[in-house]
């Protein structure tokens, strides 16, 4: 039986850029959750090659924005989409399931719970839906597409690109090792770099942890400090995590006591998560490298505090070892996980994406189209 496309209806057609880029607003049915999408079309009447943008961790909207208590962290995918459309591409992006609900305080908790129950295969199905709908839109050229994935979205993008025989795969801050290893490495890289100045001889006490929580680090860096507090710790009565204090001296040895337990913590946490458990997840890029035969562009900020730059270098090497001669690695000094400016890995605050990576992505896709 022919599968019915879950496109509900097109809502609007308007302009989105000074260069007369047209924006077509769509509503997708993603597993029964209505989700907004937007297709940007370049100026001119000719059908344009399609690019699908897949955002990162959590119920992010089509721009890669996400809600935190009391505010919203703005993403850069809207700016990227407009830049690519102005350079001749049809660009599709979409809200992930529960994204809209996560921005409303009245529904945020239920939205987070709904999202947490999804599997990575559900996210792949949603990306496939968005791609199927976009391909059938007027103004989109028939034929191969480009698939882009940021951070965790790189895993979804890689599986989808392989499935549909994409013209090219673009990954930004890619997940190369397993998810447990990647999350644990955030402590090993960013966490240790941020917390060490608050420690004495490699050991941190409660006073040092509280100072780190109030310090100048990024939200991710401060979250590494929060891992050192007990589960029943409160702002009024903060407590050091006793489970990490294996010698009972009231201080935590960051390398000898904390780091090994963090690794084990993430292994147990990932095993219990539908998103990350091996039975319901998707293979990371390192595992897929030997099977990725299409051109691959790797975009990586050298000051990325979420996914260390060495992973991009590792992926580049793995693809080349698998005889993929169509891999391009772009490293950007001074840029972070969002490819916006970041002073260092402990102060990577997801600043707006800089222009050079956007232009590099457009130029790379144009080069692939000429081949």
């Amino acid at each position: 039986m022919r599968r019915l496309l879950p496109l509900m209806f097109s809502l609007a057609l308007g302009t989105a850029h000074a260069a007369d880029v047209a924006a077509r607003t769509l509503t997708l049915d993603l597993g029964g959750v209505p989700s907004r999408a937007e297709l940007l079309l370049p100026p001119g009447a000719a059908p344009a090659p399609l690019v699908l943008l897949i955002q990162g961790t959590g119920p992010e909207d089509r721009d890669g924005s996400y809600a935190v208590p009391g505010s919203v962290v703005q993403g850069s995918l809207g700016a990227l989409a407009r830049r690519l459309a102005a350079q001749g591409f049809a660009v599709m992006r979409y809200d992930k399931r529960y994204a809209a609900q996560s921005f409303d305080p009245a529904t945020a908790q239920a939205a987070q719970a709904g999202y947490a129950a999804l599997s990575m295969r559900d996210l792949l199905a949603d990306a496939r839906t968005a791609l199927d709908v976009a391909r059938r839109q007027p103004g989109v050229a028939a034929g191969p597409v480009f698939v882009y994935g940021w951070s965790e979205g790189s895993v979804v993008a890689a599986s989808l690109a392989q499935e549909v025989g994409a013209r090219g795969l673009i990954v930004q801050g890619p997940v190369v090792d397993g998810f447990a290893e990647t999350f644990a490495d955030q402590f090993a890289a960013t966490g240790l770099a941020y917390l060490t100045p608050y420690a004495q001889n490699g050991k941190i006490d409660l006073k040092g942890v509280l100072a780190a929580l109030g310090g100048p680090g990024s939200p991710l860096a401060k979250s590494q400090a929060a891992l050192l507090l007990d589960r029943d710790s409160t702002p009024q009565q903060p407590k050091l995590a006793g489970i990490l204090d294996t010698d009972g001296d009231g201080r935590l040895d960051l390398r000898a006591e904390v780091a090994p337990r963090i690794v084990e913590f993430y292994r147990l946490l990932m095993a219990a998560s539908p998103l990350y458990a091996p039975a319901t997840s998707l293979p990371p890029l390192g595992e897929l490298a030997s099977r990725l035969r299409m051109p691959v562009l790797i975009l990586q900020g050298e000051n990325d505090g979420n996914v260390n730059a060495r992973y991009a270098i590792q992926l580049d090497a793995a693809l080349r070892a698998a005889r993929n001669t169509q891999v391009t690695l772009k490293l950007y000094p001074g840029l972070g996980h969002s490819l916006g400016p970041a002073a260092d890995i402990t102060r990577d605050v997801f600043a707006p994406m800089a222009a050079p990576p956007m232009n590099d992505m457009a130029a790379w896709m144009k080069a692939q189209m000429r081949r």
Side-chain angles (χ1 to χ4, degrees), residues 126-139:
D126 292 350
R128 186 185 301 119
T129 291
L131 181 63
D132 287 347
V133 168
R135 280 177 140 172
R136 287 160 173 79
Q137 292 297 304

Side-chain angles (χ1 to χ4, degrees), residues 55-76:
Q55 60 281 74
T57 304
E60 295 184 350
D61 73 6
R62 57 196 174 279
D63 292 335
S65 301
Y66 59 93
V68 296
S71 66
V72 173
V73 177
Q74 297 294 334
S76 293

